[in-house]
Structure formats: structure tokens, C-alpha cells
Amino acid sequence: MLAIKPNCENCNKELKPDSTEAMICSYECTFCSSCVESILHNVCPNCGGGLEKRPVRPKNELINNPASKKVIYKPIDLSAFKLLKDKFKNIEPHKR
């Protein structure tokens, strides 16, 4: 089951469980759509995978399966990320 993390790992923007801006990789690294588009270029800085829109858990399901409250905030070191980004940004995620 998805953790539904509460924030963008890069800019710390709040991403509520019903946010349509939340993007995740296959490991559930979580970023806002603005960071994915303008900084990450659809490359997860943690695993190199692509990022997809996070599904929204129905509100009645949040009662028994609440979203995570654990904040992960580790802004991207742009110089360290550049090599990974340049390696993958022009390759479709399913071909990486």
C-alpha cells in the first residue's frame, strides 16, 4: 500500500493526500509536479527512475489506512544530480 507521503522531498511543499500535484517513482520517492518538470526533468534523484502522478486514496479509505506523516526533506544537490539527470533525461523511463 502506498505511504502517501506528505511533502515534496526537494522543496518541502505540502502534498496532501488528495493533491493532484504529487508525483512518485516506483520506490515512492515523492516530489511536486513543479520540481519534477523544472528541476528533475522526470528523473528521480534517488533511483534514476521516472516519476508518475500519485494516485489519490479515497477519503473513506484514509480512515483505516491513513497517509504517512513522515516528512522527508532533502533538497537536491544540483551539481551532484547533474550527471544522473543528463544520463537519463532523454531516455524514456521504461527504457532506463
XYZ file of all heavy atoms in Angstrom:
751
model
N 0.840 -1.178 0.000
C 0.000 0.000 0.000
C 0.883 1.238 0.000
O 1.881 1.285 0.715
C -0.904 -0.018 1.230
C -1.827 1.167 1.260
S -3.077 1.104 2.535
C -3.857 -0.432 2.192
N 0.504 2.219 -0.796
C 1.274 3.455 -0.868
C 1.287 4.182 0.472
O 0.282 4.229 1.178
C 0.674 4.396 -1.922
C 0.788 3.989 -3.377
C 0.029 4.975 -4.252
C 2.234 3.912 -3.797
N 2.435 4.781 0.768
C 2.565 5.534 2.013
C 1.827 6.873 1.948
O 1.391 7.392 2.968
C 4.038 5.772 2.329
N 1.691 7.456 0.768
C 1.094 8.781 0.574
C 1.851 9.801 1.441
O 1.339 10.336 2.427
C -0.429 8.826 0.867
C -1.171 7.667 0.225
C -1.017 10.173 0.459
C -1.401 7.756 -1.255
N 3.089 10.043 1.059
C 3.955 10.944 1.829
C 3.448 12.385 1.752
O 2.862 12.793 0.760
C 5.384 10.826 1.326
C 5.946 9.422 1.563
C 7.321 9.275 0.967
C 7.810 7.841 1.090
N 9.075 7.647 0.374
N 3.709 13.182 2.815
C 3.060 14.482 2.958
C 3.731 15.689 2.301
O 3.208 16.794 2.397
C 3.044 14.670 4.478
C 4.300 13.995 4.928
C 4.421 12.782 4.023
N 4.878 15.483 1.638
C 5.579 16.665 1.126
C 6.484 16.311 -0.051
O 6.809 15.146 -0.290
C 6.434 17.298 2.225
C 7.578 16.392 2.644
O 7.365 15.232 2.986
N 8.793 16.906 2.600
N 6.909 17.359 -0.752
C 7.899 17.214 -1.812
C 9.262 17.084 -1.146
O 9.634 17.912 -0.306
C 7.875 18.436 -2.728
S 9.192 18.460 -3.978
N 10.005 16.055 -1.513
C 11.317 15.836 -0.908
C 12.309 16.942 -1.252
O 13.261 17.164 -0.520
C 11.895 14.493 -1.364
C 11.138 13.311 -0.827
C 11.716 11.984 -1.244
O 12.933 11.902 -1.548
O 10.955 10.997 -1.283
N 12.090 17.650 -2.359
C 13.029 18.690 -2.760
C 12.689 20.058 -2.176
O 13.521 20.670 -1.531
C 13.103 18.797 -4.285
C 14.091 19.852 -4.715
O 15.247 19.810 -4.332
N 13.625 20.807 -5.485
N 11.476 20.545 -2.385
C 11.133 21.916 -1.962
C 10.310 21.970 -0.679
O 10.023 23.051 -0.181
C 10.413 22.654 -3.083
S 8.725 22.077 -3.398
N 9.914 20.813 -0.170
C 9.146 20.684 1.068
C 7.710 21.195 0.947
O 7.042 21.434 1.953
C 9.851 21.354 2.251
C 9.464 20.734 3.572
O 9.107 19.560 3.640
N 9.529 21.519 4.635
N 7.225 21.362 -0.275
C 5.832 21.780 -0.473
C 4.906 20.720 0.098
O 5.123 19.527 -0.079
C 5.547 21.953 -1.962
C 4.128 22.356 -2.266
C 3.920 22.546 -3.751
C 2.515 23.055 -4.007
N 2.320 23.388 -5.415
N 3.862 21.160 0.782
C 2.887 20.230 1.338
C 2.120 19.554 0.195
O 1.670 20.212 -0.742
C 1.911 20.972 2.247
C 0.871 20.055 2.861
C -0.110 20.792 3.753
O -0.331 21.999 3.569
O -0.659 20.129 4.647
N 2.010 18.240 0.278
C 1.260 17.450 -0.698
C 0.237 16.617 0.061
O 0.520 15.501 0.494
C 2.207 16.569 -1.518
C 3.226 17.312 -2.375
C 4.266 16.352 -2.928
C 2.545 18.083 -3.490
N -0.928 17.179 0.244
C -1.992 16.490 0.986
C -2.380 15.204 0.262
O -2.096 15.044 -0.928
C -3.187 17.416 1.135
C -2.886 18.603 2.013
C -4.098 19.480 2.205
C -3.693 20.645 3.105
N -4.805 21.403 3.586
N -3.037 14.282 0.954
C -3.406 13.010 0.334
C -4.214 13.145 -0.960
O -4.129 12.301 -1.836
C -4.232 12.303 1.412
C -3.728 12.874 2.688
C -3.386 14.313 2.373
N -4.977 14.241 -1.095
C -5.773 14.425 -2.306
C -5.108 15.354 -3.325
O -5.726 15.772 -4.296
C -7.171 14.945 -1.955
C -7.152 16.313 -1.298
O -6.067 16.822 -0.946
O -8.244 16.891 -1.127
N -3.828 15.633 -3.139
C -3.113 16.520 -4.056
C -3.003 15.907 -5.451
O -2.668 14.735 -5.607
C -1.704 16.803 -3.527
O -0.977 17.557 -4.485
N -3.257 16.726 -6.444
C -3.081 16.294 -7.827
C -1.708 16.696 -8.347
O -1.390 16.456 -9.499
C -4.181 16.876 -8.735
O -4.133 18.301 -8.660
C -5.551 16.367 -8.321
N -0.896 17.301 -7.492
C 0.457 17.726 -7.869
C 1.536 16.729 -7.455
O 2.696 16.889 -7.803
C 0.784 19.068 -7.220
C -0.058 20.218 -7.699
C 0.376 21.498 -7.031
O 1.471 21.994 -7.374
O -0.365 21.971 -6.150
N 1.177 15.717 -6.681
C 2.168 14.769 -6.165
C 2.594 13.783 -7.250
O 1.767 13.232 -7.968
C 1.601 14.012 -4.970
N 3.894 13.571 -7.354
C 4.484 12.635 -8.307
C 5.364 11.669 -7.521
O 6.039 12.074 -6.564
C 5.334 13.386 -9.334
C 4.627 14.520 -10.051
S 3.543 13.973 -11.349
C 4.708 13.460 -12.582
N 5.366 10.385 -7.927
C 6.176 9.385 -7.230
C 6.929 8.508 -8.231
O 6.507 8.343 -9.369
C 5.318 8.486 -6.308
C 4.248 7.728 -7.099
C 4.709 9.293 -5.174
C 3.473 6.696 -6.281
N 8.035 7.923 -7.762
C 8.744 6.917 -8.548
C 8.291 5.546 -8.037
O 7.449 5.448 -7.150
C 10.263 7.078 -8.420
S 10.931 6.519 -6.838
N 8.868 4.493 -8.558
C 8.442 3.150 -8.148
C 8.811 2.829 -6.693
O 8.285 1.889 -6.109
C 9.017 2.091 -9.083
O 10.414 2.050 -8.984
N 9.702 3.623 -6.101
C 10.056 3.439 -4.685
C 9.303 4.412 -3.781
O 9.596 4.512 -2.605
C 11.565 3.621 -4.484
C 12.368 2.518 -5.112
C 12.973 2.698 -6.352
C 12.513 1.290 -4.481
C 13.713 1.685 -6.948
C 13.243 0.264 -5.068
C 13.841 0.476 -6.290
O 14.563 -0.536 -6.870
N 8.378 5.159 -4.361
C 7.561 6.145 -3.662
C 8.320 7.394 -3.233
O 7.869 8.107 -2.329
C 6.832 5.540 -2.458
C 5.752 4.562 -2.817
C 4.924 4.149 -1.628
O 4.231 5.009 -1.049
O 4.998 2.953 -1.276
N 9.459 7.672 -3.858
C 10.075 8.975 -3.639
C 9.032 9.968 -4.130
O 8.393 9.743 -5.157
C 11.364 9.113 -4.440
S 12.607 7.870 -4.021
N 8.824 11.043 -3.406
C 7.701 11.940 -3.679
C 8.174 13.361 -3.937
O 8.946 13.920 -3.162
C 6.725 11.916 -2.475
O 6.321 10.557 -2.242
C 5.508 12.769 -2.731
N 7.682 13.916 -5.044
C 8.037 15.277 -5.442
C 6.804 15.973 -5.994
O 5.878 15.314 -6.479
C 9.139 15.252 -6.512
C 10.391 14.586 -6.048
C 10.611 13.248 -6.304
C 11.333 15.284 -5.322
C 11.760 12.610 -5.855
C 12.485 14.661 -4.863
C 12.697 13.327 -5.129
N 6.788 17.290 -5.962
C 5.685 18.040 -6.563
C 5.910 18.109 -8.075
O 7.045 17.981 -8.556
C 5.575 19.436 -5.956
S 6.929 20.563 -6.344
N 4.842 18.307 -8.804
C 4.943 18.333 -10.264
C 5.840 19.467 -10.752
O 6.532 19.327 -11.757
C 3.555 18.423 -10.899
O 2.868 19.560 -10.448
N 5.886 20.565 -10.041
C 6.742 21.688 -10.436
C 8.222 21.295 -10.384
O 8.972 21.572 -11.318
C 6.481 22.888 -9.522
O 7.319 23.956 -9.866
N 8.642 20.634 -9.319
C 10.042 20.186 -9.214
C 10.352 19.120 -10.266
O 11.423 19.124 -10.866
C 10.334 19.653 -7.817
S 10.536 20.949 -6.563
N 9.388 18.211 -10.508
C 9.598 17.150 -11.497
C 9.831 17.749 -12.880
O 10.725 17.332 -13.609
C 8.405 16.162 -11.521
C 8.496 15.217 -12.700
C 8.358 15.368 -10.226
N 9.048 18.773 -13.226
C 9.149 19.377 -14.547
C 10.353 20.304 -14.683
O 11.084 20.235 -15.670
C 7.866 20.141 -14.857
C 6.657 19.243 -15.024
C 5.349 20.015 -15.032
O 5.364 21.253 -15.211
O 4.307 19.368 -14.857
N 10.564 21.177 -13.707
C 11.567 22.229 -13.875
C 12.968 21.889 -13.378
O 13.938 22.457 -13.858
C 11.088 23.511 -13.195
O 10.976 23.324 -11.799
N 13.082 20.956 -12.442
C 14.391 20.637 -11.862
C 14.822 19.209 -12.171
O 15.950 18.967 -12.595
C 14.370 20.857 -10.326
C 14.097 22.332 -10.020
C 15.678 20.402 -9.692
C 13.818 22.621 -8.561
N 13.912 18.263 -11.972
C 14.266 16.844 -12.095
C 14.173 16.317 -13.524
O 14.791 15.300 -13.843
C 13.361 16.002 -11.186
C 13.370 16.378 -9.702
C 12.394 15.510 -8.935
C 14.771 16.260 -9.130
N 13.401 16.987 -14.363
C 13.207 16.536 -15.759
C 12.803 15.064 -15.819
O 13.319 14.301 -16.619
C 14.443 16.834 -16.600
C 14.769 18.286 -16.626
N 14.169 19.173 -17.495
C 15.609 19.035 -15.856
C 14.637 20.392 -17.269
N 15.505 20.331 -16.274
N 11.884 14.699 -14.909
C 11.331 13.343 -14.800
C 12.379 12.274 -14.506
O 12.258 11.135 -14.929
C 10.508 12.964 -16.038
C 9.562 11.816 -15.747
O 9.135 11.618 -14.621
N 9.239 11.034 -16.751
N 13.410 12.648 -13.772
C 14.424 11.688 -13.324
C 14.448 11.734 -11.794
O 14.754 12.768 -11.210
C 15.829 12.033 -13.881
C 16.876 11.079 -13.333
C 15.827 12.042 -15.398
N 14.127 10.617 -11.156
C 14.188 10.567 -9.700
C 15.647 10.692 -9.269
O 16.497 9.919 -9.724
C 13.597 9.261 -9.177
S 13.734 9.112 -7.373
N 15.966 11.643 -8.392
C 17.351 11.828 -7.965
C 17.867 10.711 -7.068
O 19.060 10.586 -6.842
C 17.322 13.157 -7.214
C 15.921 13.262 -6.723
C 15.067 12.605 -7.772
N 16.965 9.869 -6.573
C 17.361 8.782 -5.686
C 17.631 7.477 -6.432
O 18.533 6.737 -6.067
C 16.286 8.559 -4.625
C 16.034 9.817 -3.815
O 16.958 10.477 -3.361
N 14.786 10.182 -3.664
N 16.832 7.196 -7.471
C 16.973 5.903 -8.156
C 17.164 6.016 -9.664
O 17.470 5.022 -10.315
C 15.773 5.007 -7.856
S 14.230 5.543 -8.630
N 16.945 7.196 -10.244
C 17.084 7.371 -11.689
C 15.840 6.989 -12.463
O 15.802 7.111 -13.679
N 14.820 6.524 -11.776
C 13.577 6.141 -12.444
C 12.726 7.335 -12.817
O 13.029 8.476 -12.466
N 11.646 7.067 -13.538
C 10.710 8.110 -13.912
C 9.724 8.373 -12.789
O 9.600 7.592 -11.844
N 9.021 9.481 -12.898
C 8.025 9.856 -11.898
C 6.661 9.943 -12.555
O 6.525 10.437 -13.665
C 8.417 11.185 -11.249
C 9.724 11.054 -10.454
C 10.690 12.146 -10.803
C 9.448 11.017 -8.976
N 5.665 9.440 -11.845
C 4.284 9.396 -12.332
C 3.372 10.077 -11.323
O 3.710 10.182 -10.142
C 3.828 7.934 -12.491
C 4.607 7.137 -13.497
C 4.281 7.508 -14.933
O 3.158 7.991 -15.180
O 5.141 7.316 -15.795
N 2.216 10.493 -11.793
C 1.242 11.109 -10.911
C 0.837 10.109 -9.824
O 0.540 8.957 -10.112
C 0.020 11.526 -11.719
C -0.945 12.368 -10.974
C -2.013 12.887 -11.916
C -2.949 13.788 -11.154
N -3.941 14.393 -12.036
N 0.875 10.569 -8.566
C 0.499 9.703 -7.448
C -1.019 9.557 -7.403
O -1.751 10.536 -7.504
C 0.981 10.333 -6.129
C 0.653 9.480 -4.905
C 1.124 10.142 -3.626
N 0.269 11.276 -3.281
C 0.560 12.159 -2.332
N 1.672 12.066 -1.641
N -0.256 13.162 -2.080
N -1.501 8.320 -7.251
C -2.950 8.143 -7.133
C -3.477 8.760 -5.841
O -2.744 8.898 -4.865
C -3.145 6.630 -7.109
C -1.818 6.014 -7.217
C -0.778 7.072 -7.192
N -4.734 9.119 -5.866
C -5.384 9.686 -4.684
C -6.171 8.575 -3.998
O -6.955 7.879 -4.633
C -6.333 10.840 -5.085
C -7.129 11.328 -3.896
C -5.524 11.980 -5.700
N -5.905 8.387 -2.714
C -6.643 7.388 -1.942
C -8.013 7.977 -1.570
O -8.087 9.100 -1.078
C -5.866 7.018 -0.679
C -6.521 5.903 0.126
C -5.620 5.369 1.218
N -4.426 4.793 0.628
C -3.240 4.751 1.243
N -3.089 5.230 2.459
N -2.198 4.227 0.633
N -9.083 7.240 -1.768
C -10.409 7.748 -1.405
C -10.455 8.149 0.076
O -9.879 7.473 0.930
C -11.339 6.562 -1.682
C -10.614 5.740 -2.695
C -9.159 5.896 -2.369
N -11.149 9.237 0.348
C -11.209 9.768 1.718
C -11.692 8.739 2.733
O -11.162 8.662 3.832
C -12.086 11.017 1.763
C -11.451 12.182 1.067
C -12.287 13.429 1.149
C -11.579 14.471 0.301
N -11.868 15.799 0.563
N -12.684 7.928 2.367
C -13.178 6.943 3.333
C -12.128 5.873 3.621
O -12.134 5.258 4.681
C -14.493 6.311 2.864
C -14.339 5.516 1.586
O -13.565 5.890 0.710
N -15.086 4.446 1.453
N -11.180 5.654 2.723
C -10.102 4.683 2.953
C -9.000 5.262 3.836
O -8.230 4.528 4.449
C -9.512 4.212 1.623
C -10.433 3.329 0.825
C -10.731 2.017 1.535
O -9.799 1.409 2.103
O -11.896 1.607 1.517
N -8.903 6.586 3.889
C -7.885 7.222 4.739
C -8.170 7.007 6.224
O -7.263 7.096 7.049
C -7.794 8.721 4.437
C -7.134 9.079 3.117
C -7.343 10.555 2.803
C -5.656 8.737 3.144
N -9.402 6.695 6.552
C -9.765 6.460 7.958
C -9.005 5.247 8.494
O -8.380 5.303 9.554
C -11.287 6.268 8.104
C -12.007 7.557 7.720
C -11.655 5.828 9.520
C -13.499 7.404 7.520
N -9.029 4.143 7.768
C -8.361 2.916 8.210
C -6.937 2.789 7.674
O -6.150 2.001 8.203
C -9.180 1.693 7.783
C -10.504 1.631 8.493
O -10.608 1.963 9.668
N -11.537 1.239 7.778
N -6.618 3.513 6.619
C -5.289 3.465 6.003
C -4.802 4.886 5.789
O -4.777 5.384 4.655
C -5.361 2.721 4.659
C -5.832 1.301 4.837
O -5.152 0.501 5.459
N -7.005 0.990 4.304
N -4.417 5.564 6.884
C -4.055 6.979 6.782
C -2.767 7.208 5.996
O -1.924 6.323 5.871
C -3.889 7.405 8.239
C -3.570 6.154 8.970
C -4.283 5.048 8.238
N -2.653 8.420 5.497
C -1.438 8.835 4.808
C -0.300 8.961 5.813
O -0.524 9.176 7.008
C -1.675 10.172 4.114
N 0.908 8.846 5.325
C 2.089 8.989 6.173
C 2.197 10.423 6.693
O 1.811 11.369 6.020
C 3.342 8.638 5.367
O 4.507 8.913 6.119
N 2.748 10.568 7.869
C 3.035 11.892 8.428
C 4.542 12.155 8.432
O 4.991 13.216 8.835
C 2.467 12.002 9.832
C 0.940 11.950 9.863
C 0.418 12.223 11.248
C -1.055 12.045 11.386
N -1.893 12.852 10.566
N 5.310 11.170 7.974
C 6.769 11.285 7.989
C 7.247 12.204 6.858
O 7.111 11.888 5.680
C 7.406 9.908 7.830
C 8.908 9.944 7.893
C 9.509 8.560 7.753
C 11.026 8.658 7.788
N 11.642 7.353 7.583
N 7.829 13.324 7.248
C 8.343 14.299 6.292
C 9.758 13.909 5.887
O 10.606 13.647 6.741
C 8.323 15.721 6.896
C 9.046 16.709 6.008
C 6.901 16.163 7.162
N 9.987 13.829 4.579
C 11.330 13.595 4.053
C 11.687 14.832 3.252
O 11.064 15.137 2.238
C 11.380 12.335 3.171
C 11.020 11.108 4.003
C 12.764 12.185 2.533
C 10.895 9.836 3.203
N 12.675 15.563 3.732
C 13.082 16.805 3.085
C 14.585 16.763 2.885
O 15.353 16.846 3.837
C 12.671 18.002 3.944
C 13.103 19.340 3.397
C 12.799 19.723 2.095
C 13.798 20.234 4.193
C 13.190 20.946 1.597
C 14.187 21.475 3.714
C 13.875 21.831 2.415
O 14.261 23.044 1.924
N 14.989 16.549 1.651
C 16.418 16.535 1.328
C 16.585 17.194 -0.040
O 16.535 16.533 -1.075
C 16.994 15.130 1.365
C 16.183 14.065 0.683
C 16.796 12.700 0.883
C 15.983 11.695 0.077
N 16.520 10.381 0.091
N 16.725 18.529 -0.025
C 16.841 19.279 -1.270
C 17.926 18.703 -2.189
O 18.959 18.216 -1.723
C 17.201 20.689 -0.815
C 16.677 20.766 0.590
C 16.841 19.378 1.142
N 17.669 18.772 -3.468
C 18.575 18.222 -4.469
C 19.869 19.019 -4.516
O 19.843 20.245 -4.593
C 17.914 18.252 -5.869
C 16.533 17.604 -5.857
C 18.819 17.653 -6.923
C 16.483 16.202 -5.379
N 20.986 18.324 -4.469
C 22.293 18.932 -4.727
C 22.417 18.948 -6.247
O 22.693 17.917 -6.871
C 23.398 18.093 -4.088
C 24.795 18.604 -4.390
O 24.980 19.375 -5.354
O 25.720 18.216 -3.657
N 22.145 20.090 -6.844
C 22.065 20.180 -8.301
C 23.344 19.762 -9.011
O 23.282 19.137 -10.076
C 21.664 21.596 -8.717
C 20.263 22.023 -8.280
C 19.995 23.463 -8.672
C 19.209 21.103 -8.849
N 24.490 20.052 -8.450
C 25.742 19.657 -9.115
C 25.930 18.138 -9.078
O 26.363 17.539 -10.063
C 26.947 20.374 -8.503
O 27.055 20.079 -7.133
N 25.571 17.506 -7.971
C 25.687 16.051 -7.875
C 24.630 15.361 -8.741
O 24.883 14.300 -9.319
C 25.546 15.609 -6.419
N 23.447 15.957 -8.848
C 22.348 15.376 -9.618
C 22.542 15.521 -11.129
O 22.011 14.744 -11.908
C 21.033 16.027 -9.186
C 19.832 15.581 -9.963
C 19.463 14.249 -10.013
C 19.063 16.503 -10.646
C 18.346 13.839 -10.731
C 17.947 16.106 -11.358
C 17.595 14.772 -11.404
N 23.334 16.494 -11.551
C 23.501 16.789 -12.979
C 23.919 15.560 -13.789
O 23.381 15.304 -14.860
C 24.497 17.926 -13.185
C 24.631 18.339 -14.644
C 25.556 19.518 -14.803
C 25.755 19.980 -16.213
N 25.235 19.249 -17.308
N 24.851 14.777 -13.299
C 25.305 13.595 -14.038
C 24.178 12.589 -14.242
O 23.986 12.068 -15.338
C 26.480 12.929 -13.323
C 27.792 13.697 -13.318
C 28.825 12.980 -12.456
C 28.304 13.875 -14.736
N 23.434 12.311 -13.192
C 22.325 11.366 -13.287
C 21.236 11.906 -14.210
O 20.720 11.189 -15.072
C 21.745 11.083 -11.893
C 20.648 10.032 -11.819
C 21.197 8.647 -12.174
C 20.030 10.018 -10.431
N 20.903 13.178 -14.039
C 19.868 13.798 -14.867
C 20.259 13.764 -16.340
O 19.469 13.366 -17.190
C 19.621 15.236 -14.418
C 18.566 15.959 -15.251
C 18.371 17.381 -14.795
C 19.534 18.226 -15.258
N 19.402 19.641 -14.961
N 21.481 14.160 -16.638
C 21.942 14.175 -18.029
C 21.980 12.777 -18.634
O 21.741 12.605 -19.823
C 23.309 14.844 -18.140
C 23.248 16.352 -17.886
O 22.125 16.912 -17.849
O 24.315 16.958 -17.713
N 22.259 11.790 -17.815
C 22.310 10.409 -18.301
C 20.928 9.899 -18.705
O 20.793 9.175 -19.697
C 22.894 9.516 -17.205
C 22.972 8.047 -17.577
C 23.591 7.235 -16.444
C 23.628 5.760 -16.790
N 24.191 4.963 -15.689
N 19.886 10.288 -17.955
C 18.565 9.700 -18.146
C 17.485 10.605 -18.719
O 16.452 10.101 -19.168
C 18.047 9.126 -16.829
C 18.790 7.925 -16.350
C 19.349 7.891 -15.088
C 18.923 6.813 -17.155
C 20.032 6.772 -14.637
C 19.596 5.680 -16.734
C 20.156 5.668 -15.468
N 17.652 11.917 -18.723
C 16.528 12.796 -19.062
C 15.998 12.611 -20.483
O 14.832 12.899 -20.740
C 16.872 14.265 -18.792
C 17.825 14.888 -19.778
C 18.058 16.336 -19.433
C 18.984 16.997 -20.431
N 19.229 18.380 -20.095
N 16.804 12.121 -21.403
C 16.360 11.917 -22.784
C 16.020 10.461 -23.098
O 15.817 10.107 -24.253
C 17.409 12.451 -23.760
C 17.559 13.948 -23.652
O 16.563 14.668 -23.549
N 18.780 14.422 -23.640
N 15.965 9.635 -22.057
C 15.598 8.232 -22.217
C 14.254 8.016 -21.521
O 14.102 8.374 -20.354
C 16.667 7.299 -21.587
C 18.025 7.536 -22.257
C 16.248 5.839 -21.720
C 19.172 6.815 -21.579
N 13.309 7.449 -22.220
C 12.009 7.189 -21.610
C 12.188 6.302 -20.383
O 12.998 5.377 -20.404
C 11.084 6.516 -22.618
C 10.741 7.401 -23.803
C 9.876 6.692 -24.814
O 8.840 6.128 -24.411
O 10.249 6.691 -25.999
N 11.438 6.598 -19.285
C 11.622 5.854 -18.050
C 11.578 4.337 -18.193
O 12.369 3.641 -17.556
C 10.463 6.352 -17.161
C 10.229 7.747 -17.641
C 10.441 7.669 -19.130
N 10.721 3.807 -19.043
C 10.632 2.341 -19.171
C 11.800 1.748 -19.943
O 11.931 0.532 -20.007
C 9.290 1.933 -19.801
C 9.151 2.323 -21.239
N 8.809 3.602 -21.634
C 9.331 1.604 -22.363
C 8.769 3.639 -22.963
N 9.089 2.440 -23.425
N 12.688 2.588 -20.457
C 13.868 2.115 -21.182
C 15.171 2.378 -20.430
O 16.244 2.122 -20.947
C 13.928 2.756 -22.567
C 12.788 2.336 -23.458
C 12.906 2.944 -24.813
C 11.758 2.468 -25.711
N 11.839 3.068 -27.038
N 15.086 2.915 -19.229
C 16.290 3.251 -18.459
C 16.909 2.011 -17.864
O 16.333 1.079 -17.477
C 15.971 4.246 -17.338
C 15.609 5.583 -17.883
C 15.328 6.573 -16.795
N 14.774 7.772 -17.434
C 14.090 8.689 -16.818
N 13.873 8.600 -15.523
N 13.607 9.726 -17.453
